[in-house]
Amino acid sequence: MPGRGKCFAGWRGIALWSIVAAMVGCTAQPTVDTRYHAISQDSRVQFIVLHYTEIDFARSLQRLTKEEVSSHYLVNDQPPTIYRLVDENQRAWHAGASFWQGYTHLNSNSIGIEIVNLGNGGNPRAAYAEYPEQQIKRVIELVRDVERRHGVRPDRVLGHSDIQPLTKQDPGPRFPWYQLALAGLIVWPEPESVAAARAHYAQELPVVLWFQQHLRAHGFDVSQNGQLDEVTRLSLSAFQMKYRPALYDGMPDAETAALLEVSTRPGGWVLMGADGQWHTYRVPD
C-alpha cells in the first residue's frame, strides 16, 4: 500500500521538523543591549539574619541540605568553617513567617546564616551554649563580606528572634552582638544617652503602651493595646537578649526603657568607625 507509506513518511517528517523547531525555540536567546544602567537600583539582599542550629554539625548539614529548611551559609564550630549551601542569588528557607519594620517574609530579601550551636536545646530552663571565639571570628568575616558586597545597612543585621519573637530565640543571649558592634558591623544605642535615660526612667517607668509604641518603632510587630500580653513580653525579651543579655525576662524596666528610647531616637544609634571611634549613625530615609 504505497499511498499509506507516503502518508506515514510525510507525518514522520512533519513530526521531526516540529521537534527541531521546538529545540531551536528553547535554545535561542534574544539579543540584549546592556550598555545602559539605571541608577535607581540596589541589591535584592536587604537583611542578614543570624540563627543557631540547636543541633550538632552533622544533623545541621542534613537538615539544611536534605529537608524543607535551608540557609545560605552554615558556620561550623569544630573546626570553624564557613559552608555555602545556597547561592546568594537564590532564596533560602530560613526566616519563615517573619516581620521587621513593615517588611514581611524576609526569606525573599535576606541572607540567612546558620551557626552551629546547641542553644538551650529547646529547654527554656536549660543554660545556653557558648560560642567559641574562633567561630565568632568566622561569623564576623562572613557578615562583613556580605554587608560589603550587597550594601546591607548595619541596622539591618538581625537575629531570628528579632523577626519571629513568638517562636524563636536564636541566636540567643550568648551570641556576642556587642562584639559585632565593636567590629563596625551593627549599630548600637549610644551609651551615654542610655545612662542618662536610665536615670530618668528609674524615677518613673513608662506605661506598657509606651513600650509597645517604641517596640513597634524599633521594628517589632506589636499591637498597641496597652496590655503586657505575650507578644509584648516576647518582643521585649528578644530586644533584651540583643542589647541587655544579662536579663531577658521580657519585663519592662528602666534600663530596657532607656535602650528602647535611644534606639528609636533620631541620632541615637552609633556605629564603630575604622578609626576605632563611635560615630553617630543616621538611619537612611
Side-chain angles (χ1 to χ4, degrees):
M1 300 192 298
R4 184 178 177 183
K6 289 180 181 179
C7 181
F8 178 76
W11 280 112
R12 183 169 57 184
I14 293 172
L16 180 60
W17 168 250
S18 297
I19 292 172
V20 171
M23 291 175 65
V24 171
C26 288
T27 57
Q29 295 182 352
T31 301
V32 178
D33 190 325
T34 59
R35 80 184 78 179
Y36 306 110
H37 298 276
I39 61 171
S40 299
Q41 61 176 296
D42 58 8
S43 173
R44 175 196 67 81
V45 179
Q46 297 292 308
F47 298 91
I48 298 172
V49 182
L50 303 180
H51 310 252
Y52 61 44
T53 61
E54 211 171 62
I55 50 180
D56 62 26
F57 173 71
R59 288 185 293 167
S60 298
L61 193 60
Q62 168 70 23
R63 179 171 297 178
L64 293 169
T65 59
K66 304 298 183 182
E67 300 180 18
E68 294 182 355
V69 293
S70 59
S71 65
H72 294 91
Y73 295 97
L74 174 65
V75 184
N76 195 12
D77 54 348
Q78 296 295 334
T81 308
I82 301 169
Y83 299 88
R84 186 175 68 188
L85 309 181
V86 176
D87 189 279
E88 290 183 1
N89 292 320
Q90 296 290 103
R91 177 171 53 181
W93 299 97
H94 63 97
S98 46
F99 179 97
W100 190 255
Q101 293 181 344
Y103 290 86
T104 58
H105 301 91
L106 270 70
N107 279 328
S108 297
N109 55 5
S110 67
I111 293 294
I113 299 174
E114 289 275 2
I115 307 165
V116 175
N117 180 278
L118 298 181
N120 62 359
N123 180 0
R125 292 187 176 87
Y128 283 83
E130 295 282 357
Y131 288 86
E133 183 61 31
Q134 292 302 312
Q135 184 187 41
I136 293 300
K137 287 183 179 180
R138 299 289 87 77
V139 172
I140 287 174
E141 291 171 359
L142 179 57
V143 171
R144 178 178 287 115
D145 180 58
V146 174
E147 273 194 1
R148 177 187 57 80
R149 288 186 291 103
H150 291 282
V152 176
R153 289 168 23 186
D155 59 300
R156 288 182 169 177
V157 180
L158 307 172
H160 201 183
S161 57
D162 291 323
I163 63 175
Q164 283 185 283
L166 272 66
T167 56
K168 304 298 180 181
Q169 293 78 43
D170 52 314
R174 297 288 188 181
F175 185 77
W177 286 107
Y178 188 62
Q179 194 170 335
L180 270 67
L182 292 177
L185 301 179
I186 67 171
V187 293
W188 203 256
E190 200 282 312
E192 291 185 7
S193 298
V194 171
R198 181 179 182 180
H200 169 73
Y201 290 121
Q203 303 300 315
E204 183 177 1
L205 197 64
V207 297
V208 171
L209 179 59
W210 182 97
F211 281 91
Q212 291 175 329
Q213 291 169 339
H214 284 72
L215 284 169
R216 183 78 183 190
H218 182 60
F220 293 99
D221 188 12
V222 177
S223 298
Q224 314 293 283
N225 58 19
Q227 304 297 315
L228 190 59
D229 55 20
E230 182 181 27
V231 175
T232 303
R233 288 188 293 100
L234 291 174
S235 298
L236 279 170
S237 179
F239 179 82
Q240 292 165 339
M241 276 190 183
K242 192 169 188 178
Y243 300 108
R244 205 271 308 274
L247 180 62
Y248 48 92
D249 58 1
M251 298 301 295
D253 57 42
E255 186 175 21
T256 303
L259 287 164
L260 267 174
E261 186 205 309
V262 174
S263 297
T264 53
R265 175 195 303 176
W269 289 120
V270 289
L271 181 67
M272 181 64 71
D275 58 358
Q277 301 296 317
W278 293 110
H279 298 272
T280 300
Y281 175 82
R282 304 286 181 182
V283 178
D285 294 331

